[in-house]
């Protein structure tokens, strides 16, 4: 038997997790075990099993063409520091209680250092239209090589200074920049601190004024783009108090950042008006107003009839005007180069050698 | 000059009621071109309502555009038979009915039929007669009239876009379609203005003393007033066979007409690259990082410059220096258009794009204003009816192909510049082709004119009216003579090389 991959030594912070990986080959396929020796001078090697240390230890092993085993320890404490050994053997007597095995277990070691997670004090101050986010790490165990500020996936600022204090300035107000920000100290290991800008819900309506057709379904939507998410949404109608989900024609669907009020079978009298959506979280509450207008099915009919009437009137006027002019045969008065305007008129002026065939205009 | 003029048959009025007709054509043409584009505002809502994809909705516009152009020949036949006024009024009615029934549609297929086919067909019946009747009312000032009438398109587009938005906000899409149907009925009003007019156009203005009366008879029937006048066959020809009967309604003999063929090939080529840049201008602007409103503003600039460019081009084309050589002006406009597109990829900043939009608007307006004018110039007002029908159905294919090909180019290369280069190249090619071929055409016409005049010295040679035989000569000669009265008062047998 022999090791293809050995576990690597690692440095971690408390409350982090660590993973050690080991791979061995042999014929027959060797068995892999994990053993641990603490840093205390009195400590001796003890075997680790899946579920040890209050279920913080997980061992995952596969035995196909060769053996692999991964041990992961979650929520590290300083007691987890020490030497971890990956042991492999394919001797059939390896686990015999009385007999000693002919071939010893081969071993591969890795050191895991668990460093106390330093305290990071975070602060958000608001002054003169600016927000200052700051992090201060107390007693860092390992040297700091740089800082990074992040908002979600986006990196806002990076630098190389070795200060334990770092800050980031945003122009604006709390309400506009709520969210989760991270100050990252480059190590190794990487130490992250979380700075939250929390505000009461900044509720906005998708559309301040909504339209719906009589008999159709109307949808009113409000959203909350700020942090943290909304715990309770509620809808009110002026003059009607609170609207409950699945009461009558109302259906309300809500999530952390959006709420939707659907009204079935819109009625012009009952449903037109102002609706208020109210959102609450642990920092306060906010609301917005949406106005609903219900169009009558016949709303478009009046302009339609009006325009059709106008068209009929104009066409009639044009035809009457033309019929009245017909018997007169008075030239229009505008002559260019003596050209006549219409063929009827040419009759008057003409032209023996022309066989101008008469055509009636209509 | 009055006595000399009195000897002529009445020519087109060039004014008076003609300007009212121009206004009617303005409205009619405006609706025909602008309406399909204006509908795009409703698509999102309709898409959500019926739950279809965007491309299915876009078919509505394509069907409408295809029908408007494809129904050209039918429109021409109807105008040949019944005259402009009834056709436009019927077209307006059809549009209105189409949109009103669209307001009650319950499936996307019904929308295709109502909005796409019926309204599209109605618009086709609007478009052709409007253009045709301008040719009947104007000769001397025809380019101006054409320019003014074609200006209807950008003006209507600028009006329809905010109007559609307003209607949509207040009435939803169904109500808007209902009201738009009523608005389209106004095309009937425009049609009512198209008072039919007698044969005042070129062929009638013959040199009276020399012409046989038969010649006149034939010409006047050709001009086809509203009633039966079959367009190219005179009463003297007896025994019409089937082919000639068809020819009565749609003049296929145009395909032997040199000028017509030149125009057809050049235009079909041009339309491959004509509309694609407009379709892709806003996406291109957004692609270079410009925000949506500024991108839309580019299109507004284009429309405004277009609006001004069309009548201006009309006036320029009417001037003494340009009118005889109007085909060259047209080719120049097309090539200018192409040059704009070729230079577009160089403009990457917003200012550059604004400059491009302005020039494009100018070039676009110039081409559109002269689109029908040049055709009228080449084939003469008499056969214009059939010519425009045949041309539009040929253009139909390339118009529909243009933007999708551009889209494919963009998708394949991931870069808009190849689309612009393709459009620019196609248009420069079309412009050059037209320029060269028209030069050749002008020379041939001059030669024929010379021969004709030489023949006319001989009193015995009365020009026969067998259209089939003397097609070329007659047409070219008649076109030439179209412009004679414009040149000066007397009728002199002046050999004008520039008579088209």
């Amino acid at each position: 038997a022999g090791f293809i991959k050995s576990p690597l030594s690692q440095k971690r912070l408390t409350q982090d997790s660590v993973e050690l990986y080991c791979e061995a080959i042999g014929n027959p396929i060797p068995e892999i075990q994990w053993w641990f020796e603490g840093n205390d001078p009195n400590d001796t090697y003890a075997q680790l099993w899946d579920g040890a240390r209050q279920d913080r230890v997980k061992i995952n092993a596969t035995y196909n063409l060769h053996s692999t085993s991964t041990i992961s320890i979650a929520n590290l404490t300083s007691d987890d520091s020490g030497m971890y050994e990956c042991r492999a053997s394919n001797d059939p007597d390896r686990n015999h209680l009385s007999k000693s095995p002919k071939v010893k277990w081969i071993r591969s070691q890795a050191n895991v250092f668990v460093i106390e997670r330093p305290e990071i004090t975070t602060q958000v101050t608001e002054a003169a239209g600016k927000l200052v986010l700051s992090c201060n790490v107390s007693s860092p165990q390992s040297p700091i090589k740089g800082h990074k500020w992040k908002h979600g996936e986006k990196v806002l600022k990076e630098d190389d200074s070795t200060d334990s204090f770092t800050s980031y300035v945003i122009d604006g107000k709390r309400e506009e920049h709520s969210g989760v920000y991270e100050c990252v100290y480059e190590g190794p290991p990487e130490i992250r601190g979380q700075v939250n800008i929390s505000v009461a819900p900044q509720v906005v309506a998708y559309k301040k004024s909504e339209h719906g057709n009589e008999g159709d379904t109307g949808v009113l939507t409000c959203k909350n783009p700020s942090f943290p998410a909304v715990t309770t949404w509620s809808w009110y109608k002026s003059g009607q108090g609170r609207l409950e989900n699945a009461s009558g024609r109302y259906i309300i669907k809500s999530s952390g950042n959006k709420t939707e009020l659907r009204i079935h079978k819109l009625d012009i009298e009952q449903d037109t008006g102002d609706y208020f959506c109210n959102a609450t979280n642990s920092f306060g509450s906010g609301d917005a107003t949406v106005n609903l207008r219900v169009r009558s099915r016949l709303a478009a009919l009046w302009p339609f009839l009006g325009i059709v009437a106008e068209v009929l009137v104009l066409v009639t006027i044009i035809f009457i005007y033309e019929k009245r002019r017909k018997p007169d045969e008075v030239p229009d008065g505008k002559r260019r180069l003596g050209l006549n305007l219409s063929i009827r008129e040419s009759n008057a002026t003409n032209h023996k050698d022309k066989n101008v065939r008469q055509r009636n205009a209509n | 000059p009055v006595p000399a003029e009195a000897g002529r048959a009445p020519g087109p009025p060039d004014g008076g009621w003609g300007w009212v007709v121009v206004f009617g054509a303005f409205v009619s043409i405006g609706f025909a071109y602008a309406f399909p584009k204006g509908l795009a505002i409703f698509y999102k809502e309709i898409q959500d309502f019926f739950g279809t994809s965007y491309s299915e909705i876009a078919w509505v516009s394509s069907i409408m555009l295809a029908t408007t152009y494809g129904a050209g020949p039918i429109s021409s036949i109807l105008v040949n038979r019944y005259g402009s006024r009834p056709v436009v009024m019927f077209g307006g009615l059809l549009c209105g009915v189409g949109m009103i029934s669209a307001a009650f549609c319950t499936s996307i297929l019904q929308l295709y039929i109502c909005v796409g086919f019926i309204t599209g067909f109605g618009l086709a019946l609007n478009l052709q007669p409007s253009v045709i009747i301008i040719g009947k009312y104007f000769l001397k000032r025809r380019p101006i009239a054409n320019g003014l009438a074609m200006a209807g398109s950008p003006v209507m587009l600028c009006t329809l876009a905010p109007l559609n938005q307003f209607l949509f906000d207040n009435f939803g899409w169904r109500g808007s379609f209902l009201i738009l149907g009523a608005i389209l009925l106004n095309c009937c009003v425009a049609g009512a203005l198209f008072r039919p007019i007698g044969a005042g156009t070129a062929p009638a203005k013959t040199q009276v003393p020399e012409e046989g009366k038969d010649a006149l008879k034939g010409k006047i029937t050709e001009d086809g007033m509203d009633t039966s006048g079959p367009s190219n066959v005179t009463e003297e020809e007896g025994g019409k066979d089937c082919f000639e009967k068809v020819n009565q309604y749609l003049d296929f003999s145009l395909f032997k007409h040199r000028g017509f063929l030149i125009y057809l090939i050049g235009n079909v080529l041009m339309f491959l690259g004509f509309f694609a840049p407009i379709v892709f201008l806003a996406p291109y602007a957004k692609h270079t990082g410009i925000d949506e409103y500024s991108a839309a503003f580019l299109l507004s600039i284009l429309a405004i410059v277009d609006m001004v460019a069309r009548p201006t081009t009309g006036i320029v084309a009417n001037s003494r220096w340009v009118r005889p050589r109007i085909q060259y002006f047209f080719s120049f406009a097309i090539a200018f258009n192409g040059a704009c597109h070729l230079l577009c990829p160089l403009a990457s900043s917003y200012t550059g794009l604004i400059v491009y939009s302005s020039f494009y608007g100018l070039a676009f307006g110039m081409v559109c204003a002269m689109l029908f004018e040049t055709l009228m110039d080449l084939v003469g007002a008499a056969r214009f009816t059939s010519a425009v029908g045949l041309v539009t159905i040929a253009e139909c294919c390339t118009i529909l192909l243009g933007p999708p090909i551009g889209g494919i180019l963009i998708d394949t290369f991931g870069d808009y510049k190849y689309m612009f280069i393709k459009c620019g190249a196609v248009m420069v090619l079309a412009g050059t082709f037209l320029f060269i071929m028209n030069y050749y055409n002008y020379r041939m016409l001059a030669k024929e004119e010379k021969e004709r005049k030489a023949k006319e010295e001989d009193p015995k040679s009365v020009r026969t009216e067998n259209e089939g035989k003397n097609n070329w000569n007659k047409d070219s000669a008649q076109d030439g003579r179209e412009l004679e009265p414009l040149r000066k008062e007397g009728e002199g047998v002046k050999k004008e090389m520039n008579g088209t």
Side-chain angles (χ1 to χ4, degrees):
Chain A
F3 284 111
I4 306 177
K5 280 215 181 97
S6 302
L8 302 168
S9 298
Q10 320 211 12
K11 241 194 235 184
R12 283 282 188 270
L13 297 174
T14 49
Q15 293 155 42
D16 259 352
S17 59
V18 69
E19 242 181 44
L20 298 170
Y21 183 72
C22 188
E23 220 174 286
I25 193 171
N27 195 1
I29 299 177
E31 181 195 342
I32 295 185
Q33 288 177 353
W34 289 95
W35 289 70
F36 169 73
E37 186 186 48
N39 285 332
D40 237 31
N42 299 336
D43 272 349
T44 53
Y45 270 106
Q47 189 180 5
L48 289 171
W49 66 93
D50 190 51
R53 296 185 190 166
Q54 284 104 42
D55 211 22
R56 292 189 297 121
V57 175
K58 295 259 179 282
I59 300 182
N60 200 345
T62 62
Y63 296 98
N64 301 324
L65 294 171
H66 42 253
S67 331
T68 71
S69 181
T70 311
I71 181 171
S72 37
I73 311 172
N75 204 358
L76 292 164
T77 63
S78 36
D79 291 332
D80 292 323
S81 292
M83 193 73 81
Y84 287 79
E85 225 175 49
C86 172
R87 297 186 186 178
S89 166
N90 56 0
D91 190 315
D93 286 333
R94 58 185 177 268
N95 287 321
H96 206 277
L97 292 169
S98 43
K99 275 203 254 182
S100 343
K102 300 189 188 73
V103 182
K104 280 180 111 138
W105 288 79
I106 54 173
R107 309 166 185 215
S108 174
Q109 284 176 339
N111 224 328
V112 171
F113 301 99
V114 181
I115 308 172
E116 268 304 325
R117 183 174 280 272
E119 274 260 333
I120 303 187
T121 32
T122 63
Q123 203 182 27
V124 179
T125 44
E126 199 168 350
K130 290 193 209 292
L131 291 167
V132 181
L133 312 173
S134 54
C135 286
N136 201 348
V137 60
S138 58
S139 56
Q141 315 282 58
S142 35
I144 298 168
K145 299 227 177 65
H147 311 106
K148 229 191 320 195
W149 279 91
K150 285 171 80 165
H151 182 41
E153 284 306 313
K154 194 166 140 199
V155 176
L156 304 169
K157 180 177 128 169
E158 271 183 274
D159 65 46
D160 298 331
S161 97
T162 53
D163 260 354
S164 53
F165 176 84
T166 179
S167 69
Y168 179 67
V169 178
I170 308 177
D171 275 325
K173 300 206 290 208
R174 292 182 81 103
E175 286 78 22
E176 293 153 15
H177 294 98
S178 62
V180 179
Y181 295 81
E182 272 181 330
C183 55
V184 181
Y185 290 87
E186 313 268 15
E190 201 179 69
I191 308 173
R192 286 171 182 244
Q194 189 172 310
V195 188
N196 290 344
I197 301 185
S198 307
V199 294
Q202 307 294 305
V203 186
V204 270
Y206 259 179
K207 273 162 74 174
K208 288 202 117 7
S209 161
E210 290 270 3
H211 298 266
N213 290 316
E214 206 184 350
D216 278 347
T217 304
V219 180
L220 308 177
T221 319
C222 283
K223 58 180 177 161
N224 171 40
S226 62
F227 175 84
V230 173
T231 43
T232 336
W233 285 100
S234 52
W235 282 93
Y236 297 86
K237 180 163 192 296
S238 56
Q240 220 178 299
R242 174 129 189 211
L243 304 173
E244 295 296 331
N245 189 9
S247 72
R249 297 173 289 122
Y250 302 111
I251 307 270
I252 301 179
K253 277 195 211 155
S254 305
S255 68
N257 58 358
K258 194 167 106 163
T259 183
E260 218 177 60
L261 169 67
R262 281 176 187 269
I263 312 174
H264 291 286
K265 294 212 191 37
L266 288 171
D267 179 281
I268 296 190
E269 275 112 51
Q270 285 182 20
D271 295 326
T272 306
D274 284 330
Y275 290 77
F276 307 100
C277 52
N278 181 295
T280 319
N281 67 6
S282 44
F283 289 88
S285 63
D287 51 52
T289 317
V290 184
N291 179 276
L292 177 67
R293 280 173 50 192
V294 183
R295 296 189 276 250
S296 142
R297 275 207 185 285
L298 302 176
L301 199 60
W302 300 116
F304 170 73
L305 291 175
I307 298 179
V308 172
E310 166 246 329
V311 168
L312 288 172
V313 165
L314 281 177
V315 172
T316 321
I317 291 179
I318 292 174
F319 275 118
I320 291 181
Y321 177 67
E322 190 165 313
K323 290 279 196 296
R324 279 173 172 245
R325 286 195 56 227
K326 208 174 150 182
D328 297 339
E329 292 210 351
V330 174
D332 239 16
K334 293 209 178 93
R335 290 159 148 259
R336 304 237 180 280
L337 296 182
L339 294 175
N340 295 320
L341 283 178
S342 76
I343 201 154
R344 321 175 207 110
E345 290 145 25
S346 75
N347 254 346
T349 56
N350 235 281
H351 312 247
K352 358 185 196 1
D353 35 353
K354 291 234 185 232
N355 274 352
V356 172
R357 186 167 307 175
Q358 258 329 17
R359 292 249 186 279
N360 283 329
N362 277 338
Chain B
V2 173
E5 293 307 327
R8 292 174 173 275
D14 271 317
W17 187 254
W19 296 117
V20 182
V21 170
V22 167
F23 174 71
F26 177 91
V27 169
S28 198
I29 292 177
F31 275 125
Y33 280 125
F35 192 72
K37 296 182 201 158
L39 279 188
I41 293 181
F42 298 108
Y43 286 167
K44 183 85 183 37
E45 173 86 1
I46 298 179
Q47 195 183 329
D48 290 337
F49 188 82
F50 286 120
T52 60
S53 69
Y54 180 71
S55 61
E56 289 183 23
I57 297 282
W59 269 108
V60 173
S61 255
S62 308
I63 293 180
M64 195 186 231
L65 208 60
T67 321
T68 308
Y69 278 94
I74 303 180
S75 202
S76 298
I77 296 175
L78 288 174
V79 171
N80 268 338
R81 183 89 176 73
Y82 297 109
S84 289
R85 176 188 264 178
V87 178
V88 177
M89 294 188 71
F90 179 64
L93 200 62
L94 208 57
C95 288
V97 164
M99 287 310 285
I100 293 172
S101 49
F104 297 105
C105 278
T106 50
S107 84
I108 190 88
L109 190 61
Q110 291 174 2
L111 265 185
Y112 287 158
I113 298 175
C114 293
V115 179
F117 279 119
I118 301 182
T119 313
F121 188 57
L123 289 177
L125 293 180
N126 263 332
L127 181 59
Q128 323 279 52
S130 313
V131 180
I132 291 170
I133 201 159
I134 292 182
K136 294 218 174 102
Y137 266 89
F138 285 89
L139 179 60
K140 254 186 61 168
R141 300 204 174 159
R142 202 174 54 199
I144 300 183
N146 260 314
L148 278 173
M150 296 298 278
S153 172
V155 168
M156 277 297 169
L157 188 60
C158 282
T159 326
L160 268 184
L163 179 70
N164 277 356
Q165 188 64 47
F166 169 77
L167 286 178
F168 175 62
D169 286 338
N170 282 313
F171 299 105
W173 68 272
R174 285 194 194 272
S176 303
F177 277 7
L178 197 64
I179 296 178
L180 281 174
I183 291 179
L184 279 176
L185 283 177
N186 278 303
C187 289
C188 292
V189 176
L193 291 171
F194 289 167
R195 196 183 289 169
I197 190 175
T201 49
K205 291 193 308 301
T206 59
Q207 281 146 336
V208 172
E210 297 150 273
E211 287 305 308
K213 311 175 183 189
D214 307 319
L216 285 176
K217 241 192 259 191
K219 302 283 192 214
I220 290 172
T221 41
E222 282 165 37
D223 273 12
M225 290 183 46
D226 310 51
T227 52
S228 53
S231 74
N232 269 313
V233 180
T234 68
E235 323 304 67
E236 278 139 32
E237 286 190 7
K240 314 181 178 95
D241 61 7
C242 172
F243 185 67
E244 281 177 9
K245 259 219 157 82
V246 172
N247 239 25
Q248 271 183 33
Y249 295 111
L250 195 63
D251 188 8
F252 284 105
S253 66
L254 274 169
F255 283 110
K256 288 194 235 152
H257 189 282
R258 194 176 49 234
F260 176 74
L261 284 174
I262 295 173
Y263 182 86
L264 187 65
I265 298 176
N267 269 43
V268 164
L269 198 56
M270 171 189 77
F271 272 110
L272 262 182
F274 195 50
F275 286 115
I278 286 196
V279 172
F280 291 112
L281 182 60
Y284 174 59
K286 285 190 224 161
H287 178 77
T288 54
I290 299 175
D291 66 280
E292 217 173 292
Y293 289 110
S294 310
F297 185 60
L298 284 175
L299 285 172
S300 311
I301 295 180
L302 209 153
I304 293 174
V305 176
D306 190 12
M307 229 187 284
V308 173
R310 294 194 193 200
T312 320
T313 313
I315 296 175
V316 167
N318 203 37
S319 68
R320 204 159 31 100
W321 303 282
V322 180
R323 183 87 191 265
R325 299 180 186 78
I326 200 172
Q327 302 294 334
Y328 293 145
F329 192 43
F330 186 51
S331 331
F332 163 72
I334 297 180
F336 177 50
N337 221 336
C340 279
H341 296 322
L342 285 175
L343 293 176
C344 178
L346 296 177
S348 40
S349 68
Y350 187 55
T351 336
L353 279 178
I354 290 188
V355 171
Y356 167 72
S357 298
S358 327
F359 277 109
Y360 183 27
L362 180 66
F364 192 76
M366 281 169 74
V367 173
C368 279
M370 286 196 287
L371 203 56
F372 292 113
E373 171 61 32
T374 42
L375 185 59
M376 278 188 212
D377 197 56
L378 280 168
V379 302
R383 309 169 80 186
F384 179 70
T385 316
S386 315
V388 75
L390 294 171
V391 161
T392 46
I393 200 174
E395 289 167 356
C396 175
C397 312
T398 45
I399 287 182
L400 287 179
L401 282 177
I405 292 184
I408 293 178
L409 276 174
I410 295 176
D411 287 336
T412 324
F413 292 104
D415 193 349
Y416 282 84
K417 72 171 186 226
Y418 292 105
M419 189 267 307
F420 283 112
I421 291 178
K422 159 229 163 198
C423 293
V426 162
M427 295 197 74
V428 168
L429 187 67
T432 331
F433 171 78
L434 280 174
F435 190 86
I436 297 175
M437 294 310 290
N438 275 308
Y439 176 66
Y440 165 69
N441 192 31
Y442 276 140
R443 288 187 56 176
M444 295 297 291
L445 284 173
K447 210 163 29 160
E448 284 155 14
E449 177 85 4
K450 242 197 278 195
E451 289 166 11
R452 191 190 58 78
K453 300 278 188 195
K455 261 215 281 192
E456 272 169 12
E457 302 310 299
D458 177 5
K460 283 285 168 28
S461 72
V462 171
R463 294 185 43 225
T464 64
E465 285 318 303
N466 284 332
E467 293 301 319
K469 296 178 194 146
N470 287 350
N471 242 347
W472 273 21
N473 284 340
K474 181 168 69 75
D475 287 334
S476 45
Q478 109 193 355
D479 301 329
R481 278 175 311 181
E482 230 182 53
L483 293 182
E484 273 189 24
L486 307 178
R487 228 153 298 283
K488 28 91 223 142
E489 318 75 354
E491 17 188 332
V493 186
K494 235 191 190 197
K495 282 202 233 161
E496 289 297 339
M497 295 271 300
N498 294 330
T500 49

